[in-house]
């Protein structure tokens, strides 16, 4: 797929849920979710998610939602790009396209959590801060002992913003 096939970015729909689940399963170290969870992302949260398709196949996805207590903050839950579509800046394109969606136009901040060893995600969100010409703060997030009973690495909270309109 590299550099030969056009990729379209669009809001997901219900028929993308199963394919999203398979894409995440093939993309460690992402935490897999149930098909039902991915179906809800593609329907209930479709306005704050974006998919990338090539030849009708899902090759990338950004899932997010507006934080209920901070409605001007988009929390990015997962970013996934298929192995065949990596190395083309697709993750950055998807996040920037998501911020232009009607539901996200009033966003002042983007938040996400990242494990300290996930260099790809760190690079993506540093680049997002640079592109948006804004701050990137790294704050305590979820602790391995306190929140994961030692079964998952700690996650740092990355806060990007304020986003200038």
């Amino acid at each position: 797929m590299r550099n030969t096939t056009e990729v379209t970015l669009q809001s997901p729909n219900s028929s993308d849920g199963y394919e999203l689940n398979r894409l995440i399963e093939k993309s460690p170290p992402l935490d897999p979710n149930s098909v039902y969870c991915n179906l809800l992302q593609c329907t209930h949260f479709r306005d704050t998610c974006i998919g990338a398709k090539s030849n009708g196949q899902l090759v990338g996805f950004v899932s997010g939602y507006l934080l209920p207590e901070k409605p001007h903050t988009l929390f990015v839950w997962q970013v996934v790009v298929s192995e065949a579509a990596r190395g083309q800046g697709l993750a950055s394109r998807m996040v920037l396209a998501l911020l232009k969606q009607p539901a996200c136009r009033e966003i002042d901040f983007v938040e996400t959590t990242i494990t300290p060893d996930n260099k790809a995600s760190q690079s993506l969100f540093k680049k997002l801060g640079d592109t948006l010409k804004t701050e990137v703060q790294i704050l305590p997030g979820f602790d391995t002992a306190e929140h994961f009973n030692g079964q998952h690495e700690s996650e740092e909270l990355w806060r990007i913003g304020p986003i200038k309109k």
Side-chain angles (χ1 to χ4, degrees), residues 7 23-24 38 54-55 58 81 85 114 153:
V7 174
L23 179 60
I24 291 170
N38 294 135
S54 176
N55 292 325
L58 194 66
V81 176
I114 305 173
E153 285 184 84

Side-chain angles (χ1 to χ4, degrees), residues 19-27 58-60 80-82:
E19 195 174 1
L20 173 58
N21 187 265
R22 301 284 77 86
L23 179 60
I24 291 170
E25 280 186 350
K26 294 177 187 174
S27 303
L58 194 66
V59 296
V80 61
V81 176
S82 72

Side-chain angles (χ1 to χ4, degrees), residues 22-126:
R22 301 284 77 86
L23 179 60
I24 291 170
E25 280 186 350
K26 294 177 187 174
S27 303
L30 289 179
D31 290 331
N33 302 297
S34 69
V35 173
Y36 187 74
C37 174
N38 294 135
L39 181 60
L40 293 178
Q41 289 172 308
C42 292
T43 55
H44 292 188
F45 298 99
R46 75 180 307 269
D47 293 337
T48 54
C49 295
I50 196 158
K53 289 192 175 184
S54 176
N55 292 325
Q57 297 294 116
L58 194 66
V59 296
F61 198 86
V62 175
S63 61
Y65 56 89
L66 301 179
L67 289 173
E69 70 279 5
K70 298 189 268 184
H72 294 282
T73 299
L74 174 69
F75 185 85
V76 174
W77 179 357
Q78 283 184 319
V79 177
V80 61
V81 176
S82 72
E83 189 173 337
R86 292 180 190 156
Q88 302 177 53
L90 183 55
S92 291
R93 286 178 33 216
M94 287 189 297
V95 173
L96 291 170
L98 180 56
L99 292 175
K100 293 178 183 175
Q101 296 287 86
C104 297
R105 287 190 184 139
E106 299 300 317
I107 295 301
D108 295 320
F109 292 91
V110 173
E111 291 184 355
T112 192
T113 60
I114 305 173
T115 57
D117 66 344
N118 189 335
K119 303 304 179 199
S121 289
Q122 292 170 11
S123 177
L124 170 64
F125 286 97
K126 283 179 190 173

Side-chain angles (χ1 to χ4, degrees), residues 114 122 126 136-141 155-160:
I114 305 173
Q122 292 170 11
K126 283 179 190 173
V136 176
Q137 293 179 286
I138 303 171
L139 306 164
E155 301 250 355
E156 298 170 324
L157 175 67
W158 285 54
R159 184 169 168 84
I160 296 94

